[in-house]
Amino acid sequence: MSEYNVLTAERATSDVPLDNGLWVVESNIASTTRLYVNKNNVTLVLLDSVTLDASKGGIEVIEGGTLNITTGNITKDIEGTGKLIAIGGEASQSGIGSGYYCPNGTVNIYGGTITATGNNNAAGIGGGYYGDGGTVNISGGTVTATAGEFSTVNSDDSNNGGAIGGGSEGSTGNLYISGTADVTLKAGGMYLLKCSTAKATPNKGESVFVQDKSKNNLTTPSSSAVNLKNFNSQSYVHVFFAETENITIGTTGWASLYYGDYNLEIPDGVKAYIVTAADTINRSLKKVEVTGVIPAGTAVMLWDNDTTKANTYTFKVTSDNNSADLSDNILRGYDVDSTTYADDNGTTDGYYFYKLSRNAAGDKNSVGFYWHVDGGEAFTIPAHKAFMVLAKAASGGAKAFLLNGGDASGINGIRSAENASGKIYDTSGRYYGTDATRLPKGIYIRNGKKFVVK
């Protein structure tokens, strides 16, 4: 960072506007009056873990002035955890922006935890009472903007200050949200925003989420810009961006999924399962439910209990993880179209490969894991789909394992001729040799028949 000024508590309480340039908040500061930028061009840097408390008046930025807000560390280019609390003071001032009868300038927020609340009839960020909205760009940080309480008699749009934008009786402003911003907007009157333009634009590969206070999506997450003015009747809106994958589950209720690079949140209405073993006598699969988050590199079956129609679900990329042990999973997958292999070494010999599909007649209740080619040989699996792999010695020669009614504990199978080799397996498919006299107590399978060792 180049030359900069240190913002002290004494300087923050002065009614002299901050000079052009960098102003760094190095320690916790509480200002007792409004902090003035006015028509200057100021970059305010909140160092990591410090708080600038401007709750006794907020920050004044008027037409012709620019306030840039960011956070981090002077010596390192990192996103930090600095905080700013700005509450408009007397005379219907905005939290960040203009005061009474003044148009707002330009406010750019790049990072930090920013809380901005307007006084009566003023915007959280933007114009004060009778103040125009100016321009607000938010490309990073966690921002909460709350409009001041609405106290004018007339309740049409021109008399309502926004969480961001113009104040009551003021002209509209412009709002642009992008990047990694996480923005919460709270109305003070009938309307959420007072903006002529209010857009949230995602990066490539991401979607815009617009949620209410209960975290319900107000619209389908969008990979293109969203017009936030469509939500002006809401009193609370949360806007954020996340990488997403939209998965459609058909009327059979089943689908498969694999992503190797990132964790995915499991949406409401969907259950996810791994498969850990094959019972070659009952032709059943042992499934284990995966809850909360599907970890990167985990292939799963998806179940949707609503089979009356095809449903599309949004799986959001998350940094949260899942601590469950899923290492016994016999489902696999890839991020690109690929030949199926039993392991990372490209092994195919000694294994059967199965694809989630239906029988030749396409019966709805015939969904299961089938040999995709004759002899259960390897095949090409599409990107992000799961397949199942079983050792031939542990498969019982089954060509298919059917999923009935969404319950993998009731799978039926189609078997090829058994090789009467005398090989012994347990009901999970583990091989125990051919000598039954050395077996511990349990239930075993030999030549396709079950027997018990007591």
Side-chain angles (χ1 to χ4, degrees):
M1 186 176 290
S2 58
E3 292 184 5
Y4 61 91
N5 305 292
V6 176
L7 184 64
T8 63
E10 181 180 6
R11 185 67 180 85
T13 57
S14 170
D15 59 2
V16 177
L18 297 179
D19 296 330
N20 291 321
L22 291 172
W23 286 85
V24 178
V25 183
E26 295 183 331
S27 59
N28 294 336
I29 292 176
S31 175
T32 58
T33 61
R34 192 163 175 83
L35 180 63
Y36 290 91
V37 171
N38 286 0
K39 291 188 176 183
N40 290 336
N41 189 328
V42 170
T43 296
L44 190 63
V45 182
L46 308 166
L47 289 196
D48 210 21
S49 302
V50 306
T51 298
L52 172 58
D53 184 350
S55 59
K56 297 297 178 64
I59 301 178
E60 181 87 359
V61 187
I62 62 175
E63 187 175 29
T66 298
L67 173 62
N68 305 302
I69 302 173
T70 188
T71 183
N73 187 294
I74 291 179
T75 59
K76 297 179 180 178
D77 184 19
I78 61 172
E79 184 170 343
T81 57
K83 296 180 180 179
L84 168 63
I85 302 169
I87 300 177
E90 60 186 15
S92 297
Q93 296 168 330
S94 63
I96 302 173
S98 67
Y100 189 58
Y101 263 108
C102 285
N104 177 41
T106 298
V107 178
N108 301 315
I109 299 175
Y110 301 101
T113 300
I114 314 299
T115 302
T117 305
N119 204 318
N120 288 347
N121 297 302
I125 304 175
Y129 192 18
Y130 283 93
D132 300 343
T135 298
V136 179
N137 299 294
I138 307 175
S139 59
T142 301
V143 179
T144 301
T146 304
E149 187 174 326
F150 180 50
S151 60
T152 58
V153 175
N154 195 340
S155 60
D156 65 29
D157 191 20
S158 65
N159 290 301
N160 186 81
I164 295 179
S168 295
E169 306 289 353
S171 297
T172 57
N174 296 303
L175 168 62
Y176 303 95
I177 301 175
S178 62
T180 59
D182 186 307
V183 181
T184 297
L185 306 169
K186 299 180 182 180
M190 289 185 63
Y191 299 97
L192 184 70
L193 296 167
K194 190 169 186 181
C195 296
S196 56
T197 300
K199 289 184 178 181
T201 305
N203 294 324
K204 184 177 180 180
E206 294 186 330
S207 292
V208 184
F209 284 76
V210 182
Q211 296 181 334
D212 62 16
K213 194 171 186 178
S214 299
K215 297 184 179 181
N216 297 312
N217 289 335
L218 297 174
T219 187
T220 302
S222 174
S223 59
S224 57
V226 170
N227 183 3
L228 298 177
K229 292 173 63 177
N230 293 334
F231 308 98
N232 250 359
S233 62
Q234 299 289 325
S235 62
Y236 181 109
V237 165
H238 179 205
V239 181
F240 63 98
F241 305 97
E243 290 185 83
T244 59
E245 298 297 337
N246 293 322
I247 307 299
T248 298
I249 303 177
T251 56
T252 65
W254 288 103
S256 70
L257 179 67
Y258 173 87
Y259 274 88
D261 293 335
Y262 39 73
N263 307 331
L264 295 173
E265 285 187 10
I266 302 170
D268 292 341
V270 175
K271 289 187 176 183
Y273 300 95
I274 62 170
V275 175
T276 59
D279 183 337
T280 58
I281 291 298
N282 298 310
R283 300 309 187 197
S284 64
L285 297 177
K286 182 180 179 182
K287 66 177 182 176
V288 175
E289 184 174 359
V290 180
T291 59
V293 173
I294 302 170
T298 303
V300 296
M301 299 187 302
L302 302 176
W303 168 247
D304 176 9
N305 196 53
D306 179 10
T307 58
T308 60
K309 63 183 185 305
N311 295 303
T312 299
Y313 293 93
T314 298
F315 289 73
K316 185 177 72 174
V317 174
T318 177
S319 59
D320 294 340
N321 212 327
N322 189 327
S323 60
D325 183 4
L326 307 177
S327 59
D328 290 339
N329 193 14
I330 58 175
L331 301 181
R332 303 283 187 270
Y334 307 107
D335 288 318
V336 295
D337 293 359
S338 175
T339 300
T340 56
Y341 298 110
D343 54 34
D344 293 337
N345 298 319
T347 303
T348 58
D349 290 343
Y351 291 90
Y352 288 138
F353 298 91
Y354 302 79
K355 183 180 180 181
L356 189 65
S357 58
R358 300 194 220 182
N359 64 14
D363 297 330
K364 180 177 179 179
N365 294 325
S366 68
V367 177
F369 281 97
Y370 288 75
W371 285 1
H372 188 58
V373 298
D374 290 342
E377 298 297 324
F379 59 91
T380 299
I381 187 76
H384 308 305
K385 299 295 184 181
F387 65 94
M388 188 172 74
V389 57
L390 285 176
K392 290 181 179 180
S395 70
K399 295 181 179 179
F401 295 86
L402 303 185
L403 302 170
N404 292 326
D407 182 1
S409 65
I411 297 174
N412 299 317
I414 304 172
R415 292 173 25 159
S416 64
E418 294 280 348
N419 178 9
S421 63
K423 293 181 179 180
I424 300 171
Y425 303 91
D426 67 10
T427 55
S428 293
R430 288 186 289 268
Y431 177 55
Y432 278 83
T434 58
D435 188 351
T437 64
R438 298 183 178 183
L439 297 175
K441 294 179 180 180
I443 302 174
Y444 298 91
I445 305 160
R446 180 171 52 194
N447 297 337
K449 296 182 179 180
K450 188 184 297 184
F451 66 97
V452 178
V453 175
K454 298 182 178 180

